[in-house]
Amino acid sequence: MTLTKRVIPCLDVANGRVVKGLQFKSIKDAGDPVSLAEKYSNEGADELVFLDITASEENREIIKSLVSKVAQVINIPFTVGGGVKTLQHARDILLSGADKVAINTGAVKNPKIITELMELFGRQCIVVAVDVKRNYNVSAQKNVFTDNGKKFWFEVFIYGGKKETGIDAIEWAKKMETLGAGEILLTSIDMDGTKDGYDVNLTKKIVESVSIPVVASGGCGNPEDMIDVFKKTDVEAALAASIFHYETHSVDRVKKLIKESGIPVRI
Amino acid sequence: MKVAIFDYGAGNIFSLKNSLEKNGAQVDIITGLNKSKEYSGLLLPGVGNFDPAIRSIRDYSSTDFKDYVGESMPVLGICLGMEMFFKKSEEGKEQGLNVIDGEVVLLPNTMKVPHMGWNSLEIERQSNFLEGVNDGSWVYFVHSYMIKTNETGLIAANADYGIKVPAVVEQKNFIGTQFHPEKSGEIGSLMLSNFLSGCKK
């Protein structure tokens, strides 16, 4: 037996409430973070991700106390991210009860922070969140792919999907691994909230480019989407939000279906 | 009953404290070993890096680790905490606590390193710490180093990660886990409860 595939519910939190957006926009309320976290942990979630999507400076103390409240009701690994830009901020989150800290914009603005964090807390604590959108404006320096006859490359976006960076996602993932990342949380902005399934193509390319674990995110609409991404790629984990929040599917039921399809999961 | 978690100052010990408290223990966080304060058990948590962690125990304690725990105080080392029981580690240059024979080596690069995720236990022998834990139970690992030892009977459980990775070691008053019981759901909580039962004796 080897490692199981991980099923990870994600809480996107704004102003103390779990919210869900479509392609990083049009947000609606989905519940209380602490009670949802407890429910998912009890249902057998393999890990929990908490992203503060407002990520403002003023919000920081509130988030710290919310992180520790969530940490008190779960007994599974816990990743927290959203607006992390300094060592002190990352440290605050880890000391509030998170096991891993996820960084996106902060890493693009200052890639060295990944190495500094790794040296302080160990590689296993450092998750680099990479938000990716297909860019059909193709140039020669990028890793170019074709889908339905259209050429594109995978571009990294920051500030919650609002700002393009011109950075090629594949090169970026490799660089983050070299600098000290322990895991990549890979989100497809194109698929986010669509419920049309993960961007399998993107996931496959990133998994093949790095040797650290990758978590697929964005687009999960039903358990079959998870089965699909696990069968078509070597991704270690799949993250989903809305399918769990609105009680369409419980975590234990999803994991049971994945197991029945022949994929190793912890039941 | 009061137990102590040694804080090397490098990560999340909140979950461990929380889990012990849920199992009925009073928990102090300590940053040095001092004979004037006696506990029923000591926990060396699994976050941080070998050399700084060893130095924080050595340099901030008024009593030597071996003298402090003696042959009766139950000590649970988790991940890095367990690795420190041994003579040396490929992660650092400092001498380990050297209470169990063996050393700590980097995981082979034939598999993904770190070994991160849920893996199942292959129970090798009976142990109080694993009382009520079934063979094949899932526990959460996140580590890049593993134990290498010739001590027979030391290993109470292994995990299969292409090679056999020692997952639970037990010798005299020292118990070590390569995985994180405080992150391993109900089954991990049961192991912490078993450890606390050992502290009561």
Side-chain angles (χ1 to χ4, degrees), chain A residues 188-257:
Chain A
S188 161
I189 299 174
D190 300 300
M191 301 310 290
D192 185 66
T194 62
K195 302 193 170 150
D196 290 338
Y198 296 93
D199 189 332
V200 168
N201 209 328
L202 167 68
T203 307
K204 202 168 153 52
K205 297 296 175 222
I206 298 288
V207 169
E208 286 167 0
S209 308
V210 295
S211 61
I212 50 177
V214 177
V215 181
S217 157
C220 183
N222 56 57
E224 286 70 36
D225 291 335
M226 285 200 174
I227 294 170
D228 193 55
V229 81
F230 285 140
K231 289 220 156 147
K232 290 182 182 157
T233 76
D234 284 329
V235 77
E236 276 78 8
L239 177 146
S242 46
I243 71 162
F244 299 129
H245 300 339
Y246 300 116
E247 313 235 335
T248 339
H249 301 276
S250 65
V251 177
D252 42 356
R253 166 136 182 83
V254 169
K255 289 181 73 174
K256 191 166 165 280
L257 290 170

Side-chain angles (χ1 to χ4, degrees), chain A residues 1-4 6 46-47 68 71-73 75-77 91 94-95 97-100 120-121 124 182-183 211-212 236 265-267, chain B residues 9-12 14-15 18 22 47-49 111-120 138 140 142 160-161 182-186 189:
Chain A
M1 188 53 79
T2 178
L3 289 182
T4 61
R6 289 176 275 151
D46 294 311
E47 206 162 318
S68 70
Q72 272 172 47
V73 297
N75 50 20
I76 50 173
R91 190 182 160 80
L94 292 169
L95 297 186
D99 301 294
K100 310 180 197 178
L120 264 176
F121 298 108
Q124 78 289 342
E183 191 166 67
S211 61
I212 50 177
E236 276 78 8
V265 287
R266 174 184 72 116
I267 297 275
Chain B
N12 174 21
F14 179 93
S15 310
N18 189 42
K22 277 189 183 162
V47 283
N49 198 297
M111 301 292 275
K112 283 198 179 191
V113 178
H115 171 211
M116 187 192 290
W118 295 83
N119 205 332
S120 60
W138 297 106
Y140 187 79
V142 47
D160 180 356
Y161 191 52
E182 78 281 15
K183 290 283 144 195
S184 297
E186 288 306 312
S189 175

Side-chain angles (χ1 to χ4, degrees), chain A residues 115-127:
Chain A
T115 310
E116 289 165 5
L117 280 169
M118 184 262 285
E119 283 167 356
L120 264 176
F121 298 108
R123 184 178 278 269
Q124 78 289 342
C125 286
I126 319 305
V127 179

